[in-house]
Amino acid sequence: EAGVAQSPRYKIIEKRQSVAFWCNPISGHATLYWYQQILGQGPKLLIQFQNNGVVDDSQLPKDRFSAERLKGVDSTLKIQPAKLEDSAVYLCASIRAGGRAGELFFGEGSRLTVL
Amino acid sequence: KNEVEQSPQNLTAQEGEFITINCSYSVGISALHWLQQHPGGGIVSLFMLSSGKKKHGRLIATINIQEKHSSLHITASHPRDSAVYICAGNTGNQFYFGTGTSLTVIP
């Protein structure tokens, strides 16, 4: 079984530029999460999808962050324009069942550095 | 206050030592997860438990539902165990994460 795929692994941009991260969850996993992890902290939820619908985006800075999962499979997280404080690892995770939570599978993460 | 608290934040041990990382939570959860994150790497699930105790190799996880407390034990620690260990609880599809315990095992 292939794991959660993320790209790019690393990205360095100047502030005010834009960046996009891509995630392909494990096949059949209905629930997909995007987390932001700042060094020394635990993952912070940005957005949760159930198939192609948004379940929770309460902590997503919507003035600059956007995410979509149009066909209920892979997802894209975009930041525009980036700020210095957006430097972090962006983690994508998925779980199997829609109604019951099981084991959480993470991708390798996309490390963003904003200069 | 975070819904999930871990201690210690940082831990340094000599190779071969027995290690314990603690986790307490303040919300009702369906299951408790222990996750491992190596430097520069992704997060890997070690255990998911809702009661009792689970063992995998040198790793043991326990949970006390009444006390809302879980522990992760590593027996005969090895330098390759050096990583950040994260405790997380879930209610349905909502997850609450601790801030992690950074473990360094010295040869």
Side-chain angles (χ1 to χ4, degrees):
Chain A
E1 180 179 62
V4 177
Q6 285 191 248
S7 68
R9 286 292 313 276
Y10 305 94
K11 189 74 176 179
I12 300 173
I13 61 173
E14 302 275 338
K15 61 182 179 184
R16 290 187 289 274
Q17 287 186 322
S18 63
V19 62
F21 302 113
W22 174 83
C23 171
N24 194 18
I26 293 172
S27 178
H29 282 201
T31 305
L32 182 150
Y33 307 84
W34 281 103
Y35 291 98
Q36 180 192 58
Q37 187 180 27
I38 292 172
L39 190 64
Q41 300 181 18
K44 170 192 162 188
L45 178 69
L46 292 174
I47 189 166
Q48 176 187 339
F49 290 97
Q50 178 76 13
N51 297 307
N52 62 348
V54 175
V55 174
D56 184 355
D57 64 355
S58 57
Q59 297 190 77
L60 186 73
K62 297 181 186 65
D63 57 334
R64 298 183 301 104
F65 285 64
S66 64
E68 60 184 16
R69 194 185 184 198
L70 294 175
K71 296 182 180 178
V73 180
D74 58 342
S75 176
T76 303
L77 174 71
K78 295 180 181 176
I79 307 174
Q80 181 179 18
K83 291 186 175 181
L84 296 176
E85 59 261 35
D86 299 332
S87 294
V89 176
Y90 291 86
L91 295 162
C92 179
S94 67
I95 56 175
R96 184 186 305 114
R100 287 173 48 203
E103 185 178 356
L104 194 57
F105 292 87
F106 284 88
E108 290 288 312
S110 294
R111 182 177 297 275
L112 173 66
T113 302
V114 182
L115 303 175
Chain B
K1 188 178 186 300
N2 208 18
E3 292 88 353
V4 176
E5 299 281 352
Q6 287 183 240
S7 64
Q9 271 192 305
N10 297 285
L11 182 57
T12 300
Q14 288 292 132
E15 183 174 357
E17 284 186 4
F18 181 83
I19 289 164
T20 296
I21 299 171
N22 295 299
C23 174
S24 60
Y25 52 93
S26 57
V27 292
I29 60 172
S30 308
L32 192 289
H33 305 250
W34 281 103
L35 311 168
Q36 181 191 57
Q37 186 173 32
H38 279 105
I43 297 177
V44 174
S45 176
L46 297 175
F47 294 104
M48 181 177 74
L49 67 165
S50 53
S51 65
K53 172 179 169 178
K54 285 191 176 180
K55 184 177 190 289
H56 184 253
R58 294 180 295 104
L59 302 179
I60 303 166
T62 64
I63 187 168
N64 184 317
I65 302 294
Q66 287 74 26
E67 295 186 4
K68 294 187 174 179
H69 181 270
S70 175
S71 293
L72 176 68
H73 306 285
I74 304 175
T75 61
S77 59
H78 191 276
R80 65 175 174 266
D81 297 327
S82 297
V84 174
Y85 293 84
I86 301 171
C87 169
N90 76 276
T91 302
N93 289 352
Q94 185 172 12
F95 286 79
Y96 304 91
F97 293 89
T99 54
T101 295
S102 179
L103 170 66
T104 302
V105 181
I106 299 170

